[in-house]
Coordinates of all heavy atoms in Angstrom, one line a residue:
M1112 N -12.3 10.4 -6.8 CA -12.6 11.5 -5.9 C -13.8 11.3 -5.1 O -14.8 10.8 -5.6 CB -12.7 12.8 -6.8 CG -11.6 13.1 -7.7 SD -11.9 14.7 -8.5 CE -10.8 15.6 -7.5
I1113 N -13.7 11.7 -3.9 CA -14.9 11.5 -3.0 C -15.9 12.6 -3.1 O -16.9 12.6 -2.4 CB -14.4 11.4 -1.5 CG1 -13.7 12.6 -1.0 CG2 -13.6 10.1 -1.3 CD1 -13.5 12.5 0.5
D1114 N -15.6 13.6 -4.0 CA -16.6 14.7 -4.1 C -17.6 14.3 -5.3 O -18.4 15.2 -5.7 CB -16.0 16.0 -4.4 CG -15.1 16.1 -5.6 OD1 -14.7 15.0 -6.1 OD2 -14.7 17.2 -6.0
T1115 N -17.6 13.1 -5.7 CA -18.6 12.6 -6.7 C -19.4 11.5 -6.0 O -18.9 10.9 -5.0 CB -18.0 12.1 -7.9 OG1 -17.2 11.0 -7.6 CG2 -17.1 13.2 -8.6
I1116 N -20.5 11.1 -6.6 CA -21.3 10.0 -6.0 C -20.5 8.7 -6.1 O -20.4 7.9 -5.2 CB -22.7 9.9 -6.7 CG1 -23.5 11.1 -6.3 CG2 -23.4 8.6 -6.3 CD1 -24.8 11.2 -7.1
A1117 N -19.9 8.5 -7.3 CA -19.1 7.3 -7.5 C -17.9 7.2 -6.5 O -17.6 6.2 -5.9 CB -18.6 7.1 -8.9
G1118 N -17.3 8.3 -6.3 CA -16.1 8.4 -5.4 C -16.6 8.2 -3.9 O -15.9 7.5 -3.2
A1119 N -17.7 8.7 -3.6 CA -18.2 8.5 -2.2 C -18.6 7.0 -2.0 O -18.3 6.5 -0.9 CB -19.4 9.4 -2.0
K1120 N -19.2 6.4 -3.0 CA -19.5 5.0 -2.9 C -18.2 4.1 -2.8 O -18.1 3.2 -1.9 CB -20.3 4.5 -4.1 CG -21.7 5.0 -4.1 CD -22.4 4.5 -5.3 CE -23.9 5.0 -5.4 NZ -24.6 4.5 -6.6
A1121 N -17.2 4.5 -3.6 CA -15.9 3.7 -3.5 C -15.3 3.9 -2.2 O -14.8 2.9 -1.6 CB -15.0 4.2 -4.6
S1122 N -15.3 5.1 -1.7 CA -14.7 5.4 -0.3 C -15.4 4.6 0.8 O -14.8 4.0 1.7 CB -14.7 6.9 0.0 OG -13.9 7.6 -0.9
A1123 N -16.7 4.6 0.7 CA -17.5 3.8 1.7 C -17.2 2.4 1.6 O -17.1 1.7 2.7 CB -19.0 4.1 1.4
I1124 N -17.0 1.8 0.5 CA -16.7 0.4 0.3 C -15.3 0.1 1.0 O -15.1 -0.8 1.8 CB -16.7 -0.1 -1.1 CG1 -18.1 -0.1 -1.6 CG2 -16.0 -1.4 -1.3 CD1 -18.2 -0.2 -3.1
I1125 N -14.3 1.0 0.7 CA -13.0 0.8 1.2 C -13.0 0.9 2.7 O -12.4 0.1 3.5 CB -12.0 1.8 0.6 CG1 -11.9 1.6 -0.9 CG2 -10.6 1.8 1.3 CD1 -11.3 0.3 -1.3
Y1126 N -13.7 2.0 3.3 CA -13.8 2.1 4.7 C -14.5 0.9 5.4 O -14.1 0.5 6.5 CB -14.5 3.4 5.1 CG -13.7 4.7 4.7 CD1 -14.4 5.7 4.1 CD2 -12.4 4.8 4.9 CE1 -13.7 6.9 3.7 CE2 -11.7 5.9 4.5 CZ -12.3 7.0 3.9 OH -11.7 8.1 3.6
S1127 N -15.5 0.4 4.7 CA -16.2 -0.7 5.3 C -15.3 -1.9 5.3 O -15.3 -2.7 6.3 CB -17.4 -1.0 4.4 OG -18.1 -2.1 4.9
I1128 N -14.6 -2.2 4.3 CA -13.6 -3.3 4.3 C -12.6 -3.2 5.4 O -12.3 -4.1 6.1 CB -13.0 -3.5 2.9 CG1 -14.0 -3.9 1.9 CG2 -11.9 -4.6 3.0 CD1 -13.6 -3.9 0.4
A1129 N -12.0 -2.0 5.5 CA -11.0 -1.7 6.5 C -11.5 -1.9 7.9 O -10.9 -2.6 8.8 CB -10.4 -0.3 6.4
E1130 N -12.7 -1.4 8.2 CA -13.3 -1.6 9.5 C -13.7 -3.0 9.8 O -13.6 -3.5 11.0 CB -14.5 -0.6 9.7 CG -14.1 0.9 9.8 CD -13.1 1.2 10.8 OE1 -13.2 0.7 12.0 OE2 -12.2 1.9 10.6
T1131 N -14.2 -3.7 8.8 CA -14.5 -5.1 9.0 C -13.2 -5.9 9.3 O -13.2 -6.8 10.1 CB -15.2 -5.7 7.8 OG1 -16.4 -4.9 7.6 CG2 -15.6 -7.1 8.0
A1132 N -12.1 -5.6 8.6 CA -10.8 -6.2 8.8 C -10.4 -6.0 10.3 O -10.0 -6.9 11.0 CB -9.8 -5.7 7.9
K1133 N -10.5 -4.7 10.7 CA -10.1 -4.4 12.1 C -11.0 -5.2 13.1 O -10.5 -5.7 14.1 CB -10.3 -2.9 12.4 CG -9.2 -2.1 11.7 CD -9.5 -0.6 12.1 CE -8.8 0.4 11.1 NZ -9.2 1.7 11.5
A1134 N -12.3 -5.3 12.9 CA -13.2 -6.0 13.7 C -12.9 -7.5 13.8 O -13.3 -8.1 14.8 CB -14.7 -5.8 13.3
N1135 N -12.2 -8.0 12.8 CA -11.9 -9.4 12.7 C -10.4 -9.6 13.1 O -9.8 -10.6 12.8 CB -12.2 -10.0 11.4 CG -13.7 -10.3 11.2 OD1 -14.2 -11.3 11.7 ND2 -14.4 -9.3 10.7
N1136 N -9.8 -8.6 13.8 CA -8.4 -8.7 14.3 C -7.4 -8.9 13.1 O -6.4 -9.6 13.3 CB -8.3 -9.8 15.3 CG -7.2 -9.6 16.3 OD1 -6.9 -8.4 16.6 ND2 -6.6 -10.6 16.8
L1137 N -7.6 -8.2 12.0 CA -6.7 -8.3 10.9 C -6.0 -6.9 10.8 O -6.4 -5.9 11.2 CB -7.5 -8.5 9.6 CG -8.3 -9.8 9.5 CD1 -9.0 -9.9 8.2 CD2 -7.4 -11.0 9.7
K1138 N -4.8 -7.0 10.1 CA -4.1 -5.8 9.8 C -4.6 -5.3 8.4 O -4.4 -6.0 7.4 CB -2.6 -6.1 9.7 CG -1.9 -6.7 10.9 CD -0.5 -7.0 10.6 CE 0.1 -7.9 11.7 NZ 1.4 -8.5 11.2
P1139 N -5.3 -4.2 8.4 CA -6.0 -3.7 7.2 C -5.0 -3.6 6.0 O -5.4 -4.0 4.9 CB -6.6 -2.4 7.5 CG -6.8 -2.5 9.0 CD -5.7 -3.3 9.5
Y1140 N -3.8 -3.1 6.1 CA -2.9 -2.9 5.0 C -2.6 -4.3 4.4 O -2.7 -4.5 3.2 CB -1.6 -2.2 5.4 CG -0.6 -2.2 4.3 CD1 -0.6 -1.1 3.4 CD2 0.4 -3.1 4.1 CE1 0.3 -1.0 2.4 CE2 1.3 -3.1 3.1 CZ 1.2 -2.0 2.2 OH 2.1 -2.0 1.2
H1141 N -2.2 -5.3 5.2 CA -1.9 -6.6 4.8 C -3.1 -7.3 4.1 O -3.0 -8.0 3.2 CB -1.3 -7.4 5.9 CG 0.1 -6.9 6.3 ND1 1.2 -7.1 5.6 CD2 0.4 -6.2 7.4 CE1 2.2 -6.6 6.2 NE2 1.7 -6.0 7.4
Y1142 N -4.3 -7.0 4.7 CA -5.5 -7.6 4.2 C -5.8 -7.1 2.8 O -6.1 -7.8 1.9 CB -6.6 -7.4 5.2 CG -7.9 -8.1 4.7 CD1 -8.0 -9.5 4.5 CD2 -9.1 -7.3 4.5 CE1 -9.2 -10.1 4.1 CE2 -10.3 -7.9 4.1 CZ -10.3 -9.3 3.9 OH -11.5 -9.9 3.5
F1143 N -5.7 -5.8 2.6 CA -5.9 -5.2 1.3 C -4.9 -5.7 0.3 O -5.3 -6.0 -0.8 CB -5.9 -3.6 1.4 CG -7.1 -3.0 1.8 CD1 -7.2 -2.3 3.0 CD2 -8.3 -3.1 1.0 CE1 -8.4 -1.7 3.4 CE2 -9.5 -2.5 1.3 CZ -9.5 -1.8 2.6
E1144 N -3.7 -5.8 0.7 CA -2.6 -6.3 -0.2 C -3.0 -7.7 -0.6 O -2.9 -8.1 -1.8 CB -1.3 -6.3 0.6 CG -0.1 -6.7 -0.3 CD 1.2 -6.5 0.5 OE1 1.3 -7.0 1.6 OE2 2.1 -5.9 0.0
L1145 N -3.4 -8.6 0.3 CA -3.9 -9.9 -0.1 C -5.0 -9.9 -1.0 O -5.0 -10.6 -2.0 CB -4.2 -10.7 1.2 CG -4.8 -12.1 1.0 CD1 -3.7 -13.1 0.5 CD2 -5.5 -12.6 2.2
L1146 N -6.0 -9.1 -0.7 CA -7.2 -9.0 -1.6 C -6.9 -8.6 -3.0 O -7.3 -9.3 -4.0 CB -8.2 -8.0 -1.0 CG -8.9 -8.4 0.3 CD1 -9.9 -7.2 0.7 CD2 -9.7 -9.7 0.1
L1147 N -6.1 -7.6 -3.1 CA -5.7 -7.1 -4.4 C -4.9 -8.1 -5.2 O -5.1 -8.3 -6.4 CB -5.0 -5.8 -4.3 CG -5.9 -4.6 -3.8 CD1 -5.0 -3.4 -3.6 CD2 -7.0 -4.3 -4.8
T1148 N -4.0 -8.8 -4.5 CA -3.1 -9.8 -5.2 C -3.9 -11.0 -5.6 O -3.8 -11.4 -6.8 CB -2.0 -10.2 -4.2 OG1 -1.2 -9.1 -3.8 CG2 -1.1 -11.3 -4.8
E1149 N -4.8 -11.5 -4.7 CA -5.5 -12.7 -5.0 C -6.6 -12.5 -6.0 O -6.9 -13.3 -6.9 CB -6.1 -13.4 -3.8 CG -5.0 -13.9 -2.9 CD -4.2 -15.0 -3.5 OE1 -4.7 -15.9 -4.2 OE2 -2.9 -14.9 -3.4
I1150 N -7.3 -11.4 -5.9 CA -8.4 -11.1 -6.9 C -7.9 -10.9 -8.3 O -8.5 -11.4 -9.2 CB -9.3 -9.9 -6.4 CG1 -10.0 -10.3 -5.1 CG2 -10.2 -9.4 -7.5 CD1 -10.8 -9.2 -4.4
L1151 N -6.7 -10.3 -8.4 CA -6.1 -10.1 -9.7 C -5.8 -11.5 -10.4 O -5.9 -11.6 -11.6 CB -4.9 -9.2 -9.7 CG -5.2 -7.7 -9.5 CD1 -3.8 -7.0 -9.4 CD2 -5.9 -7.2 -10.8
K1152 N -5.4 -12.4 -9.6 CA -5.1 -13.8 -10.1 C -6.4 -14.5 -10.7 O -6.2 -15.4 -11.5 CB -4.5 -14.7 -9.0 CG -3.2 -14.3 -8.5 CD -2.8 -15.2 -7.4 CE -1.5 -14.8 -6.7 NZ -1.2 -15.6 -5.6
H1153 N -7.5 -14.0 -10.3 CA -8.8 -14.7 -10.7 C -9.7 -13.9 -11.6 O -10.9 -14.2 -11.7 CB -9.5 -15.1 -9.4 CG -8.8 -16.1 -8.6 ND1 -8.9 -17.4 -8.7 CD2 -8.0 -15.9 -7.5 CE1 -8.1 -18.0 -7.8 NE2 -7.6 -17.1 -7.1
M1154 N -9.1 -12.9 -12.2 CA -10.0 -12.0 -13.0 C -10.7 -12.7 -14.2 O -11.8 -12.2 -14.5 CB -9.1 -10.8 -13.6 CG -8.6 -9.9 -12.5 SD -9.9 -9.0 -11.6 CE -10.6 -7.9 -12.8
E1155 N -10.2 -13.7 -14.7 CA -10.8 -14.4 -15.8 C -11.7 -15.6 -15.3 O -12.4 -16.2 -16.1 CB -9.7 -15.0 -16.7 CG -8.8 -13.9 -17.3 CD -9.5 -12.9 -18.2 OE1 -10.5 -13.2 -18.9 OE2 -9.2 -11.7 -18.0
D1156 N -11.7 -15.9 -14.0 CA -12.5 -17.0 -13.5 C -14.0 -16.7 -13.5 O -14.4 -15.6 -13.3 CB -12.1 -17.3 -12.0 CG -10.7 -17.8 -11.9 OD1 -10.0 -18.0 -12.9 OD2 -10.3 -18.1 -10.7
T1157 N -14.7 -17.7 -13.8 CA -16.2 -17.6 -13.7 C -16.6 -18.2 -12.4 O -17.7 -17.9 -11.9 CB -16.9 -18.4 -14.9 OG1 -16.4 -19.7 -14.9 CG2 -16.6 -17.7 -16.2
N1158 N -15.8 -19.1 -11.8 CA -16.1 -19.7 -10.5 C -15.5 -18.7 -9.4 O -14.3 -18.5 -9.4 CB -15.5 -21.0 -10.4 CG -15.8 -21.7 -9.1 OD1 -16.2 -21.1 -8.1 ND2 -15.6 -23.0 -9.1
L1159 N -16.4 -18.2 -8.5 CA -15.9 -17.3 -7.5 C -15.8 -17.9 -6.1 O -15.7 -17.2 -5.1 CB -16.9 -16.1 -7.5 CG -17.1 -15.3 -8.8 CD1 -18.1 -14.2 -8.6 CD2 -15.7 -14.8 -9.3
D1160 N -15.7 -19.2 -6.1 CA -15.5 -19.9 -4.8 C -14.3 -19.5 -4.0 O -14.3 -19.5 -2.8 CB -15.5 -21.4 -5.0 CG -16.8 -22.0 -5.4 OD1 -17.9 -21.3 -5.3 OD2 -16.9 -23.1 -5.9
F1161 N -13.3 -19.0 -4.7 CA -12.1 -18.6 -4.0 C -12.3 -17.4 -3.1 O -11.5 -17.2 -2.1 CB -11.0 -18.2 -5.1 CG -11.2 -16.8 -5.7 CD1 -10.6 -15.7 -5.2 CD2 -12.1 -16.7 -6.8 CE1 -10.8 -14.4 -5.8 CE2 -12.3 -15.4 -7.4 CZ -11.7 -14.3 -6.9
L1162 N -13.4 -16.7 -3.3 CA -13.7 -15.5 -2.4 C -14.0 -15.9 -1.0 O -13.7 -15.2 -0.1 CB -14.9 -14.7 -3.0 CG -14.6 -14.0 -4.3 CD1 -15.8 -13.4 -4.9 CD2 -13.5 -12.9 -4.1
E1163 N -14.5 -17.1 -0.8 CA -14.8 -17.6 0.6 C -13.5 -17.6 1.4 O -13.6 -17.2 2.6 CB -15.3 -19.0 0.5 CG -16.7 -19.1 0.0 CD -17.8 -18.6 1.0 OE1 -17.6 -18.8 2.2 OE2 -18.7 -18.0 0.6
D1164 N -12.4 -17.9 0.8 CA -11.1 -17.9 1.6 C -10.6 -16.5 1.9 O -9.7 -16.4 2.7 CB -10.0 -18.7 0.8 CG -10.4 -20.2 0.7 OD1 -11.2 -20.7 1.5 OD2 -9.9 -20.9 -0.2
L1165 N -11.1 -15.5 1.2 CA -10.7 -14.2 1.4 C -11.5 -13.3 2.4 O -11.2 -12.2 2.7 CB -10.6 -13.4 0.1 CG -9.6 -14.0 -0.9 CD1 -9.7 -13.2 -2.3 CD2 -8.2 -14.0 -0.4
L1166 N -12.6 -13.9 2.9 CA -13.4 -13.2 3.8 C -12.7 -12.9 5.1 O -11.8 -13.8 5.5 CB -14.7 -14.0 4.1 CG -15.7 -14.2 2.9 CD1 -16.8 -15.1 3.2 CD2 -16.2 -12.8 2.5
P1167 N -12.9 -11.8 5.7 CA -12.1 -11.5 6.9 C -12.2 -12.4 8.1 O -11.3 -12.5 8.9 CB -12.6 -10.1 7.3 CG -13.8 -9.8 6.5 CD -13.9 -10.8 5.4
W1168 N -13.2 -13.3 8.1 CA -13.3 -14.2 9.2 C -12.8 -15.6 8.8 O -12.9 -16.6 9.5 CB -14.8 -14.3 9.7 CG -15.7 -14.4 8.6 CD1 -16.1 -15.5 7.9 CD2 -16.4 -13.3 8.0 NE1 -17.0 -15.2 6.9 CE2 -17.2 -13.8 7.0 CE3 -16.4 -11.9 8.2 CZ2 -18.1 -13.0 6.2 CZ3 -17.2 -11.1 7.4 CH2 -18.0 -11.7 6.4
S1169 N -12.3 -15.7 7.6 CA -11.8 -17.0 7.1 C -10.6 -17.5 7.9 O -9.7 -16.8 8.2 CB -11.4 -16.9 5.6 OG -10.8 -18.1 5.2
E1170 N -10.7 -18.8 8.2 CA -9.5 -19.4 8.9 C -8.3 -19.6 8.0 O -7.2 -19.9 8.4 CB -10.0 -20.8 9.4 CG -11.1 -20.7 10.5 CD -10.6 -20.2 11.8 OE1 -9.4 -20.4 12.2 OE2 -11.4 -19.5 12.5
R1171 N -8.6 -19.5 6.7 CA -7.5 -19.7 5.7 C -6.7 -18.5 5.3 O -5.8 -18.6 4.5 CB -8.1 -20.3 4.4 CG -8.7 -21.6 4.6 CD -9.3 -22.2 3.4 NE -9.8 -23.5 3.6 CZ -10.4 -24.3 2.8 NH1 -10.7 -23.8 1.6 NH2 -10.9 -25.5 3.1
L1172 N -6.9 -17.4 6.0 CA -6.1 -16.2 5.7 C -4.7 -16.4 6.2 O -4.5 -17.0 7.3 CB -6.7 -14.9 6.4 CG -8.1 -14.4 5.8 CD1 -8.6 -13.3 6.7 CD2 -7.9 -14.0 4.4
P1173 N -3.7 -15.9 5.6 CA -2.3 -16.0 6.0 C -2.1 -15.3 7.3 O -2.7 -14.3 7.7 CB -1.5 -15.4 4.9 CG -2.4 -14.8 4.0 CD -3.8 -15.1 4.3
A1174 N -1.1 -15.8 8.1 CA -0.8 -15.3 9.4 C -0.4 -13.8 9.4 O -0.7 -13.1 10.3 CB 0.3 -16.1 10.1
E1175 N 0.2 -13.4 8.3 CA 0.7 -12.0 8.2 C -0.5 -11.0 8.1 O -0.3 -9.8 8.4 CB 1.7 -11.8 7.0 CG 1.1 -12.0 5.7 CD 1.4 -13.4 5.1 OE1 1.9 -14.3 5.9 OE2 1.1 -13.6 3.9
C1176 N -1.7 -11.5 7.8 CA -2.8 -10.6 7.9 C -3.4 -10.4 9.3 O -4.1 -9.5 9.5 CB -3.9 -11.2 6.9 SG -3.6 -11.0 5.2
R1177 N -3.1 -11.3 10.1 CA -3.6 -11.3 11.5 C -2.8 -10.5 12.5 O -1.6 -10.6 12.4 CB -3.8 -12.7 12.0 CG -4.7 -13.5 11.1 CD -5.1 -14.8 11.8 NE -5.9 -15.6 10.9 CZ -7.2 -15.4 10.6 NH1 -7.8 -14.4 11.2 NH2 -7.8 -16.1 9.7
K1178 N -3.5 -9.8 13.3 CA -2.8 -9.1 14.4 C -2.4 -10.1 15.4 O -3.1 -11.1 15.7 CB -3.7 -8.1 15.1 CG -4.0 -6.9 14.2 CD -4.9 -5.9 15.0 CE -5.3 -4.7 14.1 NZ -6.2 -3.8 14.8
Q1179 N -1.2 -9.9 16.1 CA -0.8 -10.8 17.1 C -1.6 -10.6 18.4 O -2.0 -9.5 18.7 CB 0.7 -10.6 17.4 CG 1.6 -10.7 16.2 CD 2.7 -11.6 16.5 OE1 3.1 -11.9 17.6 NE2 3.4 -12.1 15.5
N1180 N -1.9 -11.7 19.0 CA -2.7 -11.6 20.3 C -1.8 -10.9 21.3 O -0.7 -11.1 21.5 CB -3.1 -12.9 20.8 CG -4.2 -13.6 19.9 OD1 -4.9 -12.9 19.2 ND2 -4.2 -14.9 19.9
Q1181 N -2.5 -10.0 22.1 CA -1.7 -9.2 23.1 C -2.0 -9.7 24.4 O -2.9 -10.2 24.8 CB -2.1 -7.7 23.0 CG -1.7 -7.2 21.6 CD -2.2 -5.7 21.5 OE1 -2.7 -5.1 22.4 NE2 -1.9 -5.1 20.3

């Protein structure tokens, strides 16, 4: 809930990720889907190097996350 401090913080994080995705010419829905899928695969990992590939400016993001050039 956004009417709590924790909810407001969570909302701010989500909005920030969505806006950063848009600023990097990504489709936010597809980007969130990728993040949730990939992060779940690594929940037991102690090495977090995989996160580099998930950054919104990463060249390694799949094409379906990117908006088509107009």
Side-chain angles (χ1 to χ4, degrees):
M1112 303 188 100
I1113 61 171
D1114 60 344
T1115 65
I1116 292 173
K1120 286 180 182 179
S1122 293
I1124 291 167
I1125 296 298
Y1126 293 136
S1127 178
I1128 293 170
E1130 291 303 316
T1131 303
K1133 289 180 196 176
N1135 284 276
N1136 207 33
L1137 300 178
K1138 300 175 194 171
Y1140 177 85
H1141 293 284
Y1142 184 59
F1143 276 113
E1144 186 175 50
L1145 174 71
L1146 291 178
L1147 294 172
T1148 301
E1149 291 302 314
I1150 290 171
L1151 282 175
K1152 292 178 186 176
H1153 297 275
M1154 292 300 289
E1155 302 298 321
D1156 291 1
T1157 55
N1158 181 343
L1159 301 179
D1160 289 344
F1161 76 96
L1162 292 172
E1163 288 288 324
D1164 294 339
L1165 297 177
L1166 294 172
W1168 46 84
S1169 173
E1170 297 289 327
R1171 296 184 177 172
L1172 291 176
E1175 62 265 9
C1176 289
R1177 302 192 182 282
K1178 292 181 182 176
Q1179 301 231 342
N1180 291 333
Q1181 298 177 3

